Amino acid sequence: MAQKPKKPGKPEPPEPRASRPIREITGLPKELSSAAYLALVEHGRALAIALDARLTIHALNLSDAGGSAHERETHQLPGRASALAESSLGLVVAEEHDEEPTLTLLRHGALLPLLTLDGPIVSLATAGVFGHVIHRPQGYGARLARIDLHQRQAIAERQLDHANMAVAVD
């Protein structure tokens, strides 16, 4: 059978790479609840795990042969975690304490309260010193808020039709 001529200017697709067996990272919890929140932090050198009101940071040592992790620090949060995202200031944790949704910053090993919102936090993403949250104020549907983490305040908000979505920042 004759081979089709190549179209000029169209690159060839890359050859599939041979897959390597997946190596286990030792030292991490063997099982996690479906209620746990995880985030790679510190440029992939650590893994943050939040479950209920406990936040644990595991240092990662990864190589082609596998990897290991060890628990570096643990923090008791004031409330139950509902999201995690890393900002340029540190790890931002969305949590609910006494039914008040709060953003907390883990910076240099200390938990710093940032801001309390007026409804449950549905989604959290960060970019630089800004946080972006979708939250459900009581009786108002949903809102998208841009938070200045340095100033610890919402600097812009927009009404949304519903909260059945996730916010992402590229």
Side-chain angles (χ1 to χ4, degrees), residues 27-29 54-59 69-75:
L28 290 173
R54 181 184 165 115
L55 174 64
T56 306
I57 309 296
H58 294 268
H70 70 275
E71 190 174 304
R72 190 178 68 205
E73 56 189 283
T74 300
H75 302 274

Side-chain angles (χ1 to χ4, degrees), residues 28-29 32-41 47-51 83-85 91:
L28 290 173
L32 284 173
S33 162
S34 62
Y37 296 90
L38 285 77
L40 275 173
V41 295
L47 178 67
I49 302 174
L51 179 59
L84 295 175
L91 181 66

Side-chain angles (χ1 to χ4, degrees), residues 18-123:
S19 64
R20 294 182 294 184
I22 297 174
R23 308 275 192 244
E24 183 176 335
I25 300 173
T26 60
L28 290 173
K30 294 287 184 197
E31 294 181 10
L32 284 173
S33 162
S34 62
Y37 296 90
L38 285 77
L40 275 173
V41 295
E42 301 171 16
H43 305 287
R45 294 187 307 264
L47 178 67
I49 302 174
L51 179 59
D52 296 325
R54 181 184 165 115
L55 174 64
T56 306
I57 309 296
H58 294 268
L60 299 176
N61 182 12
L62 305 175
S63 70
D64 288 341
S68 62
H70 70 275
E71 190 174 304
R72 190 178 68 205
E73 56 189 283
T74 300
H75 302 274
Q76 190 64 34
L77 300 169
R80 184 183 54 80
S82 60
L84 295 175
E86 186 178 31
S87 74
S88 60
L89 298 178
L91 181 66
V92 178
V93 181
E95 58 178 297
E96 286 197 35
H97 176 62
D98 294 332
E99 297 186 26
E100 285 193 342
T102 303
L103 292 178
T104 300
L105 178 68
L106 175 63
R107 183 172 171 86
H108 304 300
L111 290 171
L112 308 168
L114 291 175
L115 177 72
T116 298
L117 295 167
D118 59 352
I121 297 169
V122 175
S123 182

